[in-house]
Amino acid sequence: MSSKPVIVLDSVGKCYQIYDKPRDRLLQMFWRQRRQLYREFWALRDLSLKVYPGEVVGVIGANGAGKSTLLQLICGTLAPSSGTLRVNGRVAALLELGAGFNPEFSGRENVYLSGAVVGMSRQEIASRYDRIVEFSGIGEFIERPVKTYSSGMYVRLAFAVAIHVDPDILIIDEALSVGDGEFARKSFDRIMAMKSAGKTILFCSHALYQVESFCDRALWLDKGVCVLQGNPSEVVARYNGTLLNQMAERLDPALVAGLSASPQAPAAVSQSPAPSANEQNTTALTGQGRILAVRVALEGQSGRKLCGRSGVSDLCVQIDFHVDPQLPDPVIGVTIDYENIVAASCAVTRSDGITVRRDKAGQGSIELCFPQLALRKGEYWVSVYLACENAVHFYDVAHQVAIFHMQDMHIEPGLVLLPHEWRITIETQQQSAIPLVELPWGARIETDEADSLGLRAHAGQFESVETDLCRRLLVSGDRVLDVGANIGYYSLLFATLVGVEGQVTAVEPDPGNLQLLRRNLARNASARAVQVCTCALSSQTGDGQLYRAENQGMHRLYPSVCCADQTVSVPLIAGDSLQLAPLDFIKIDIEGYEPFALAGLQRTLTQSPGVKVLCEFSPLSLIEAGSSPQALLQPFQQQGFRLLHWTQQRWQELSFASLRHQLECLSIEQARGFIAGLRQNAASVQQICDQSATFLSQCGYSRELFENLLFVAPAAWRQVRQRLQLTPVTVVTDSPLETRL
């Protein structure tokens, strides 16, 4: 780049005289300076600028900022009111294309007229004439008056003339390419070739994405004054920040507090909606591209108006397209805008290193997925862009193909919930008052004040049988769901076992336990594989109440005799909406609410052929929660699961028939009457457990009041049998002659 500038503006200003009445203009000529009958409007004020050879400068700003005035001053169509302006070199301008054409003249005559205006000799014009006509593609119409041209022909000829005058400086107002289809691509290629050839270019646009992609430097004008100039990314970011401040009155103050400057989505070259699949046109598109169809799905539901949940719902956008096979592989972008205010997110194949392939006919299809979409509450618009290989020229745009509303259980401000984790580096006095407990596998955990899991009392040991089972069944890379994660004992164990290749989802809606869970995960490096879900799992989405247990260490999703009246509202979701399949292991312990949670996980279970489910089984808790033991067992039995229980110091298979036989002695009506009596007596938790055990024994139910059962999917049975070293045993069934291994 030469050190001598080709464009120099020194304190340049442009002032217009505004008269209230037409006659005042005439009167002003007589009054001259003795009286002023006009108001001054400064479209540009005190602007200094130097542009060097080969530099591409973008000019941005709101309407009325002075952008077009600046370009017209450089072109020479306007004279400055103050300051000095020097331009060295031939200028070609793409302002209002064809503005200098005489409609009565033929195309040929206008070519010569336009060339003469920019200082070309007749011989120079003649030498370029054939190339201009060929590029415009208007053929024999060149000899007809331009007033007979269509708008497309008019634009083609004007552009062809502008780029063939061999300018030193090219000025573009708003469009990098003109026309449509093949000509748009051809004009874009010519402009890019001029940039590569070292031509000086001034580009004025509202398409901030193109300014960042195309320009070396950006100039921001506001009310005729230069606010900032420099690196395009920095200038655009500052400009966007100002736009957001100006929009603040339109937004919820809480949302404004969470917004940050975001790149503006690319300006649409065309805004035609994408046709449906049955309207796809496979006709060859020479020199151009077309979006054939766009399908948007949220939580598995497709359509134009959708609804999702923050941090839970998956957003998928499938795009079918066609691009001339002779052109390079295209680029596809998808933007998600917060209404029409700010771009919340944008994904572009070129930036992600994805090559968009097509078949021999030029057709292709691609899908973009946003798992567990982290956008917060509000309405969002989805738009799709099909662009050239360097993502500057747009073949087609499918604008606002879908609108979706996000629901968020949290009230905190912000546009997006970024992945994050808290790490406690200094223990507070309150926390240090309760010493951390080291678990058998090395993790350190903070307990609740009541030590409801008994970790401090038993040196970090809890449910040793179940803990050992998990350590024998889980391996690196497994995917685990911990329903009722409490303070994180099992979640930390699972994270250690599955390693960085695996994944653990911990479900805990209790606010008190949730705080301890997150603190315990944060202080253990092995917990990086754990994702926390703060909803409660149920058969469907809705709202629920958690009832606090008397020992303050547990909550239940129903008014149990073991609970106080204190409640907290929590959102309920169906586990299938978490999209966790395939899972290898599920641990579920939610005090009798298990059938409801598992009903919402049926699709996940079906899609997890190797799953094992460790589930607490308590007949009275199941009945008190409004379900029944049979409701828990039946789905597993129907899907062919095998059943294991802990007996005689080892895990052994138990037939569903044998367990059902035990349950036959337990009348649900009688059990409900017993539970109602417990409520009236308002006994302590220990007394409730003792009386419940006695009641079951009197009914003839000989199993434990609370026990853990392991349900094993058929495809996982051989693996489980090997890892637990199961030996063939006789299983009690309804028939004394029936045995199973």
Side-chain angles (χ1 to χ4, degrees):
M1 183 180 299
S2 171
S3 59
K4 185 177 181 181
V6 294
I7 301 175
V8 178
L9 286 80
D10 186 6
S11 300
V12 169
K14 179 61 181 177
C15 181
Y16 293 93
Q17 296 176 352
I18 310 298
Y19 293 90
D20 293 331
K21 302 175 183 178
R23 69 176 183 175
D24 289 347
R25 187 181 300 275
L26 178 62
L27 292 173
Q28 185 66 53
M29 296 176 62
F30 294 101
W31 283 103
R32 297 188 183 277
Q33 301 302 322
R34 288 174 292 174
R35 184 178 176 184
Q36 183 172 305
L37 301 177
Y38 59 84
R39 291 174 286 107
E40 291 185 343
F41 172 72
W42 286 88
L44 210 61
R45 187 188 295 270
D46 197 26
L47 176 62
S48 295
L49 174 68
K50 292 182 180 180
V51 181
Y52 293 87
E55 192 174 15
V56 181
V57 178
V59 184
I60 64 174
N63 291 330
K67 304 187 299 297
S68 296
T69 300
L70 170 62
L71 299 187
Q72 291 180 60
L73 286 169
I74 296 173
C75 291
T77 58
L78 290 178
S81 303
S82 62
T84 58
L85 169 63
R86 298 191 304 275
V87 178
N88 301 318
R90 178 179 291 168
V91 178
L94 303 179
L95 301 175
E96 185 177 351
L97 288 175
F101 280 6
N102 187 324
E104 301 297 332
F105 288 3
S106 69
R108 174 191 292 272
E109 291 168 331
N110 273 294
V111 169
Y112 278 87
L113 175 62
S114 299
V117 168
V118 297
M120 295 178 66
S121 67
R122 189 170 184 84
Q123 290 75 18
E124 287 179 307
I125 301 172
S127 66
R128 293 173 171 81
Y129 178 78
D130 290 340
R131 282 179 286 163
I132 292 174
V133 176
E134 180 183 2
F135 190 92
S136 69
I138 65 174
E140 61 183 18
F141 287 91
I142 193 67
E143 302 296 345
R144 299 185 183 182
V146 297
K147 67 180 181 181
T148 65
Y149 289 3
S150 67
S151 59
M153 294 167 61
Y154 200 88
V155 166
R156 287 168 178 254
L157 181 59
F159 183 83
V161 172
I163 65 172
H164 279 88
V165 298
D166 193 21
D168 302 302
I169 302 168
L170 178 65
I171 295 179
I172 308 171
D173 194 357
E174 291 301 343
L176 275 180
S177 56
V178 297
D180 55 14
E182 182 180 6
F183 188 81
R185 172 71 198 206
K186 186 166 61 172
S187 64
F188 167 77
D189 287 343
R190 180 57 62 93
I191 292 175
M192 295 302 293
M194 295 178 73
K195 177 184 177 182
S196 300
K199 301 294 183 181
T200 303
I201 301 176
L202 268 70
F203 173 48
C204 170
S205 179
H206 289 288
L208 304 184
Y209 174 81
Q210 290 183 329
V211 171
E212 286 194 70
S213 303
F214 184 64
C215 300
D216 304 315
R217 181 158 53 110
L219 175 71
W220 170 17
L221 295 179
D222 183 38
K223 298 179 181 178
V225 177
C226 177
V227 179
L228 183 67
Q229 60 174 305
N231 181 279
S233 297
E234 297 176 2
V235 175
V236 167
R238 289 278 299 277
Y239 177 59
N240 269 321
T242 300
L243 292 180
L244 287 177
N245 290 334
Q246 294 172 353
M247 294 172 181
E249 294 182 358
R250 295 177 51 194
L251 302 177
D252 185 323
L255 175 61
V256 175
L259 287 176
S260 60
S262 305
Q264 182 170 317
V269 173
S270 69
Q271 295 187 349
S272 55
S276 60
N278 60 355
E279 296 173 331
Q280 294 182 13
N281 182 6
T282 58
T283 303
L285 303 171
T286 304
Q288 58 181 304
R290 172 80 173 157
I291 297 174
L292 301 177
V294 179
R295 289 172 289 277
V296 181
L298 193 63
E299 280 200 356
Q301 301 296 317
S302 60
R304 176 167 169 75
K305 293 186 177 181
L306 303 166
C307 187
R309 288 167 293 157
S310 178
V312 176
S313 304
D314 292 349
L315 174 68
C316 294
V317 183
Q318 184 175 350
I319 305 121
D320 298 337
F321 62 93
H322 180 277
V323 176
D324 182 353
Q326 302 303 316
L327 294 176
D329 291 325
V331 170
I332 291 179
V334 175
T335 64
I336 302 176
D337 298 326
Y338 177 77
E339 296 183 349
N340 196 27
I341 299 173
V342 66
S345 185
C346 181
V348 180
T349 55
R350 184 171 183 262
S351 300
D352 293 335
I354 303 298
T355 301
V356 180
R357 300 297 188 188
R358 298 157 289 164
D359 59 21
K360 293 181 179 179
Q363 287 189 267
S365 182
I366 193 169
E367 184 178 44
L368 172 68
C369 291
F370 296 88
Q372 297 179 2
L373 193 62
L375 294 176
R376 307 297 292 271
K377 55 183 173 292
E379 188 171 86
Y380 298 87
W381 299 348
V382 178
S383 298
V384 177
Y385 299 82
L386 178 65
C388 69
E389 64 277 8
N390 51 22
V392 178
H393 167 64
F394 301 108
Y395 297 128
D396 198 8
V397 175
H399 189 56
Q400 295 181 20
V401 291
I403 299 174
F404 62 89
H405 183 82
M406 293 298 289
Q407 299 173 343
D408 193 349
M409 73 184 95
H410 302 293
I411 62 173
E412 295 85 0
L415 190 65
V416 61
L417 181 62
L418 298 175
H420 62 279
E421 61 180 71
W422 298 90
R423 294 186 180 278
I424 299 175
T425 56
I426 299 177
E427 301 291 341
T428 65
Q429 291 183 353
Q430 180 180 2
Q431 293 168 358
S432 59
I434 303 177
L436 299 181
V437 177
E438 184 168 345
L439 303 180
W441 57 90
R444 297 169 70 242
I445 194 169
E446 175 187 349
T447 69
D448 54 24
E449 293 184 6
D451 190 22
S452 55
L453 300 185
L455 294 175
R456 294 199 307 272
H458 299 91
Q461 298 288 338
F462 175 64
E463 294 186 348
S464 57
V465 171
E466 290 78 7
T467 298
D468 177 70
L469 173 72
C470 296
R471 300 180 79 167
R472 293 166 68 181
L473 290 183
L474 293 179
V475 296
S476 177
D478 277 352
R479 296 168 58 90
V480 182
L481 175 61
D482 184 8
V483 185
N486 201 270
I487 65 174
Y489 174 88
Y490 277 104
S491 295
L492 288 169
L493 172 63
F494 297 150
T496 302
L497 296 174
V498 305
V500 295
E501 301 297 326
Q503 178 178 311
V504 179
T505 301
V507 177
E508 180 52 59
D510 175 0
N513 287 342
L514 186 61
Q515 291 182 12
L516 283 173
L517 170 65
R518 284 178 164 158
R519 289 208 294 266
N520 287 329
L521 294 177
R523 60 169 48 95
N524 290 277
S526 63
R528 292 179 181 175
V530 180
Q531 298 180 355
V532 178
C533 174
T534 59
C535 298
L537 298 193
S538 185
S539 57
Q540 57 187 356
T541 300
D543 297 316
Q545 295 290 322
L546 276 176
Y547 292 80
R548 184 176 293 276
E550 287 189 5
N551 64 5
Q552 297 186 354
M554 306 289 286
H555 278 81
R556 301 191 182 191
L557 283 160
Y558 58 91
S560 170
V561 295
C562 298
C563 293
D565 293 334
Q566 183 181 0
T567 64
V568 60
S569 297
V570 295
L572 304 177
I573 65 170
D576 285 333
S577 66
L578 296 176
Q579 302 289 325
L580 299 176
L583 289 171
D584 299 288
F585 192 82
I586 299 175
K587 182 189 179 299
I588 180 167
D589 182 357
I590 47 178
E591 315 300 326
Y593 205 74
E594 290 84 0
F596 301 99
L598 290 168
L601 282 165
Q602 284 305 301
R603 187 172 72 246
T604 301
L605 290 172
T606 302
Q607 297 171 354
S608 304
V611 70
K612 288 82 65 179
V613 182
L614 181 61
C615 181
E616 184 180 77
F617 185 73
S618 172
L620 288 181
S621 294
L622 291 165
I623 294 170
E624 186 184 24
S627 184
S628 69
Q630 289 77 8
L632 175 65
L633 299 176
Q634 185 176 5
F636 287 114
Q637 186 176 14
Q638 290 177 341
Q639 296 178 41
F641 277 70
R642 307 285 280 267
L643 177 60
L644 294 176
H645 71 140
W646 178 258
T647 182
Q648 300 177 357
Q649 301 302 307
R650 62 179 179 177
W651 289 94
Q652 293 189 25
E653 187 174 9
L654 172 68
S655 73
F656 283 93
S658 176
L659 185 53
R660 287 182 182 277
H661 180 73
Q662 275 277 301
L663 292 169
E664 287 177 357
C665 66
L666 185 61
S667 165
I668 292 182
E669 289 74 15
Q670 187 178 1
R672 288 173 178 168
F674 168 73
I675 293 170
L678 289 176
R679 286 197 178 95
Q680 294 176 354
N681 295 333
S684 67
V685 173
Q686 185 58 52
Q687 290 175 329
I688 290 173
C689 291
D690 292 342
Q691 293 178 32
S692 297
T694 300
F695 169 75
L696 291 177
S697 178
Q698 291 174 347
C699 291
Y701 184 82
S702 59
R703 306 188 67 82
E704 297 290 334
L705 176 62
F706 298 96
E707 64 175 322
N708 274 299
L709 300 178
L710 181 66
F711 299 92
V712 183
W717 175 245
R718 182 176 180 182
Q719 175 195 80
V720 170
R721 188 172 60 186
Q722 292 175 345
R723 292 181 182 176
L724 298 184
Q725 299 179 347
L726 299 179
T727 56
V729 295
T730 301
V731 180
V732 178
T733 65
D734 287 335
S735 170
L737 299 178
E738 181 184 357
T739 61
R740 291 175 61 190
L741 294 181

